[in-house]
Amino acid sequence: MQEKPYFCPNCRSNRVKFSMISSFSQPFLKDALSGTVQEVAEPQRIEETEPTIQCMVCSFTGNEMRFVKQAEREPRAATPTNSTY
Ligand SMILES: [Zn+2]
């Protein structure tokens, strides 16, 4: 995961609450006749190049880059656009 701000591109109201969706691999042995599970190994996380992030406000799920890009487009410190010059 990148140490960068996130901003949900879907609800555009959440920069704080997220969840990382990851895949696990858990090998097991099955009995060929009865089909019962004989042995279960420890689950191992499958490392992905880009993590999948879920917004905890609207449940939108997408690649981390989508959240990072949205935060870059609309930074937190952005001033209102109706400034008078
Ligand atoms: Zn959202």
Side-chain angles (χ1 to χ4, degrees), residues 13-65:
S13 66
N14 176 30
R15 297 176 190 269
V16 182
K17 289 188 289 182
F18 301 99
S19 179
M20 185 171 67
I21 313 294
S22 51
S23 309
F24 285 86
S25 166
Q26 186 167 27
F28 59 90
L29 293 177
K30 233 170 162 23
D31 185 283
L33 289 177
S34 67
T36 53
V37 175
Q38 304 285 298
E39 204 180 301
V40 181
E42 285 294 303
Q44 291 173 340
R45 227 188 99 208
I46 300 172
E47 288 292 336
E48 279 149 272
T49 47
E50 194 181 345
T52 302
I53 303 297
Q54 183 179 35
C55 170
M56 294 304 277
V57 171
C58 69
S59 298
F60 170 81
T61 305
N63 284 347
E64 180 188 41
M65 196 47 70

